[in-house]
Amino acid sequence: YRQRLSDALGDRLDFATEYVDVVYFPDPLYESQFEDHLVRKYHDRPIDLLLANGATAAAIAGRLQPRLASHPPIVFTGTFERPVPKSTGHTSVVATMKESLELALRVQPDTRHVYLVCGTSPNDAGLEAEFHSQVPTPPPGVEFTYLRGLSVPALTDRLAALPEHSVVYLIHLTSDDDGREFRVQSVIERLVAASNAPIYTWNGNVPGVFGGRFPSTELIAE
């Protein structure tokens, strides 16, 4: 977003980023306090546009709009819980889970085992459900094994001893069965270094994986 706006506006651009971390702080009170913080922070700084990336951010932007003095328009990806005036955007940015698995099997057509890595947080579970909806059954000749909720040490040990003709597919990983939380960016290097099979995923924001079919962030920004 910053690059696209900078291309158009040059030095006239004044761009600020605010990150709401509802994955690791799911308490509804956190969201309301975050919104109050933004209202105080920008009370004397006119805002011309709100960019909201994702359904949660879109909902927050919709609630913020009438509280900000300039009542700025909103450009969003995701959906709103209710109609919001002066808003437009993409509501159909879909996680390319099925396409990423198909890519892995095209790159490595001898694959017989797909090891699916997933955590146990509500966000992890929601994305695992999305994977099931896109890939309800394994492709012919391929076996799925779920590595769900393992600690990072247990997961690295398991990935180091996979059989031949295997690939690893990362669905989402933010917590384990013991409730330990971690950010996948902080552990992916350990998983990549340990795994004796390439790791694929659908999420282009995960560094270090071998590949996947990622939505174009450039096209979404345009």
Side-chain angles (χ1 to χ4, degrees):
Y1 292 128
R2 184 194 299 270
Q3 184 61 52
R4 289 293 177 266
L5 289 170
S6 181
D7 291 343
L9 300 175
D11 293 339
R12 292 181 294 146
L13 176 65
D14 181 8
F15 191 96
T17 302
E18 301 288 350
Y19 181 66
V20 55
D21 195 353
V22 294
V23 173
Y24 296 95
F25 301 96
D27 184 352
L29 184 61
Y30 164 71
E31 284 192 43
S32 65
Q33 291 175 339
F34 181 80
E35 293 166 24
D36 292 342
H37 162 70
L38 295 184
V39 171
R40 289 192 300 270
K41 181 176 180 179
Y42 294 100
H43 76 279
D44 61 350
R45 183 175 174 180
I47 295 175
D48 299 309
L49 176 68
L50 291 175
L51 285 169
N53 186 21
T56 298
I60 290 174
R63 293 192 295 267
L64 276 176
Q65 186 187 63
R67 301 182 64 189
L68 297 170
S70 55
H71 301 289
I74 301 169
V75 174
F76 64 90
T77 60
T79 57
F80 285 124
E81 298 173 354
R82 56 180 177 78
V84 173
K86 298 194 298 181
S87 66
T88 188
H90 280 288
T91 60
S92 58
V93 179
V94 178
T96 52
M97 296 186 175
K98 181 175 184 289
E99 293 87 346
S100 295
L101 177 62
E102 290 172 344
L103 174 66
L105 299 180
R106 286 200 305 271
V107 173
Q108 297 181 242
D110 63 343
T111 298
R112 299 293 176 265
H113 311 281
V114 176
Y115 289 84
L116 298 149
V117 175
C118 191
T120 55
S121 73
N123 193 245
D124 296 333
L127 288 166
E128 184 180 348
E130 176 64 25
F131 179 84
H132 285 303
S133 72
Q134 294 189 26
V135 189
T137 59
V142 174
E143 179 186 23
F144 282 173
T145 300
Y146 283 86
L147 305 180
R148 184 188 295 108
L150 299 181
S151 67
V152 173
L155 189 55
T156 55
D157 288 346
R158 188 69 186 275
L159 296 184
L162 300 179
E164 293 184 353
H165 309 298
S166 296
V167 299
V168 179
Y169 190 100
L170 175 63
I171 296 177
H172 204 251
L173 186 64
T174 58
S175 70
D176 62 20
D177 278 336
D178 294 327
R180 285 185 292 265
E181 296 180 343
F182 35 79
R183 301 179 187 275
V184 67
Q185 290 87 347
S186 66
V187 300
I188 189 62
E189 289 185 0
R190 293 175 61 185
L191 303 184
V192 170
S195 180
N196 63 0
I199 299 178
Y200 292 81
T201 189
W202 58 274
N203 186 348
N205 294 321
V206 177
V209 296
F210 184 77
R213 183 71 178 269
F214 306 140
S216 169
T217 54
E218 291 81 5
L219 290 177
I220 292 170
E222 288 180 4

